[in-house]
Amino acid sequence: MATVACVRVNVHGDPPRPSTGHGSSALRFATYNTSLYANDAGGLVARLERGDPDARRIAAVLQRVRPDVVLLNEFDFDAAHRAADLFQQRYLGEAQAGGGDALAYPYRYLAPVNTGVPSGLDLDRDGEVGGEGRSRGNDAWGFGLHPGQYGMLLLSRFPIDEAGVRSFRKLAWSAMPDARQPRDPATGQPWYPAEAWSRLRLSSKSHWDVPVRTPAGTIHVLAAHPTPPVFDGPENRNGARNADEIRLWREYIGGDAPWLCDDAGACGGLPADARFVILGDYNNDPVDGDGDHAAIVELLEHPRVLRMATPRSEGAVEAAARYPDVARRGAPAHATGDYGPRVGTLRLDYVLPSVGLPVTGSGVFWPRTGAPGAELVGASDHRLVWVDVAGGTD
């Protein structure tokens, strides 16, 4: 049964370097949707080669928080890994204004994602396959204007067991038992024709299980970035997909799941004795905004997920107050991003350790106006979320 952890919750900006107080260091896990993408193939590489000011601010935030393991969402993938190289060498590897000392990640994991990859199917039912602009993106396995847009990059201070990595990028949505197959509300018939439904991939980007060999032993980083539950129609195809992308992890950590077959052909879920941390932008708030909130609540309340204090910040409270006309039920301090006057603030980004990883601290890097680092957060509409778990060594 899940236990409740007593933790230090940081709300004032820079978190102190983690320590258990017993001569050993905690491990800091983080997730950050960086908005480091471009609408053209190679566009992020070009941005980083020019000296991108938003990338410098993103790097400065990372230099201040200094996570041991961090997932970057919305970081465009390129096969040569040029963008990842540039970000490490010219941004993280150099002290940035408003940041801290240079920051090195000797280990990383990145791989192709489904966004922008042509499916050869008319997934948006506009009468043509592919097309231009958004029409082309809508017919990709995951929405994107070029292959690799909105990719993922995992950075680590500790070695990654690459032979043990599992990817579920190609898993068919229809393989999930009782999948939420979208239906046309006007006819009650399935939205996707049988051929498309049998081939459509569940993951809009990818789902990765990346084992990291930390001083506390191997911890499985479960990384994903489900599709936003919007930008569709009354059939709610993106809302259904978002919920089932989140459900994939619930199934993965919950049992045998023989239908869960990875891209290498191995089937089944995570072993019962494995420790993990779920990272990513899940595009689903527990109570507010769009989407099926039960999907993320059921993940938060899964018996293998540690019950812990929700990461929070003072900046989130301040931002929510700017949108008095946006009705909210959730605690303003728990938000992880600012999406403007129509949407307001929401909690979309998560760091969820497993039972067996005692949490010693957590927070969202979102300083209030005028506090150190406040000038950095506008580089993305999301904020970095971090959680410290005990078990490392100095």
Side-chain angles (χ1 to χ4, degrees):
M1 183 173 179
T3 58
V4 178
C6 295
V7 303
R8 165 181 51 82
V9 178
N10 180 280
V11 296
H12 299 295
D14 288 342
R17 193 58 214 153
S19 175
T20 63
H22 298 285
S24 62
S25 296
L27 304 171
R28 178 164 290 165
F29 291 84
T31 189
Y32 197 4
N33 182 321
T34 62
S35 298
L36 289 176
Y37 65 86
N39 288 335
D40 299 312
L44 177 58
V45 170
R47 283 179 59 183
L48 296 175
E49 287 179 335
R50 288 194 301 267
D52 186 79
D54 284 340
R56 294 198 183 285
R57 290 193 285 172
I58 294 293
V61 170
L62 290 165
Q63 288 172 351
R64 294 183 78 114
V65 179
R66 309 190 79 78
D68 296 304
V69 179
V70 58
L71 176 68
L72 306 185
N73 287 126
E74 294 195 3
F75 189 102
D76 281 1
F77 173 81
D78 65 276
H81 301 180
R82 177 62 176 157
D85 287 340
L86 285 167
F87 188 63
Q88 174 61 71
Q89 295 163 5
R90 301 188 190 178
Y91 294 84
L92 293 174
E94 299 179 3
Q96 301 296 331
D101 294 336
L103 184 59
Y105 288 103
Y107 308 97
R108 68 188 183 200
Y109 182 80
L110 65 165
V113 291
N114 284 326
T115 39
V117 178
S119 69
L121 302 168
D122 181 15
L123 295 178
D124 63 357
R125 291 181 21 179
D126 68 351
E128 65 175 347
V129 175
E132 299 298 326
R134 291 194 65 87
S135 293
R136 182 175 69 250
N138 286 335
D139 286 342
W141 290 125
F143 179 81
L145 301 182
H146 60 83
Q149 190 177 28
Y150 314 121
M152 303 192 296
L153 172 62
L154 183 70
L155 302 174
S156 176
R157 289 184 53 225
F158 307 114
I160 290 171
D161 176 11
E162 295 206 22
V165 172
R166 300 183 71 189
S167 169
F168 296 90
R169 180 170 67 96
K170 297 180 181 179
L171 179 72
W173 191 355
S174 58
M176 175 178 278
D178 301 316
R180 301 176 187 230
Q181 184 176 11
R183 293 186 175 273
D184 186 335
T187 65
Q189 297 301 307
W191 168 264
Y192 295 109
E195 179 193 10
W197 176 244
S198 68
R199 296 172 56 195
L200 180 58
R201 298 173 182 179
L202 173 56
S203 184
S204 56
K205 284 84 176 175
S206 194
H207 283 68
W208 298 339
D209 172 355
V210 182
V212 179
R213 296 185 179 126
T214 78
T218 296
I219 296 176
H220 292 254
V221 172
L222 306 184
H225 183 191
T227 189
V230 290
F231 310 120
D232 48 18
E235 81 291 340
N236 192 33
R237 64 187 189 274
N238 289 337
R241 190 177 189 180
N242 172 272
D244 277 353
E245 286 196 73
I246 295 171
R247 181 185 160 198
L248 189 156
W249 283 149
R250 297 204 313 271
E251 297 277 350
Y252 188 64
I253 64 177
D256 293 334
W259 61 272
L260 252 174
C261 298
D262 62 32
D263 297 335
C267 301
L270 189 69
D273 60 349
R275 296 178 301 167
F276 61 84
V277 177
I278 296 170
L279 298 179
D281 169 7
Y282 284 80
N283 274 311
N284 198 318
D285 183 291
V287 292
D288 292 314
D290 294 295
D292 184 338
H293 304 306
I296 193 66
V297 170
E298 288 172 5
L299 182 61
L300 292 168
E301 296 182 350
H302 192 283
R304 289 188 69 182
V305 173
L306 185 73
R307 300 293 177 88
M308 54 173 281
T310 302
R312 64 195 69 192
S313 71
E314 290 183 342
V317 176
E318 180 184 52
R322 292 197 290 267
Y323 308 120
D325 296 330
V326 178
R328 283 288 175 264
R329 292 183 297 155
H334 294 170
T336 65
D338 183 344
Y339 309 103
R342 292 183 58 188
V343 176
T345 61
L346 293 169
R347 182 190 181 194
L348 303 182
D349 307 88
Y350 297 87
V351 179
L352 304 177
S354 64
V355 172
L357 290 175
V359 170
T360 62
S362 68
V364 179
F365 186 83
W366 198 343
R368 65 186 183 278
T369 300
E375 73 282 2
L376 303 174
V377 299
S380 171
D381 50 1
H382 294 253
R383 308 294 183 252
L384 180 147
V385 183
W386 58 272
V387 171
D388 294 339
V389 301
T393 58
D394 287 330

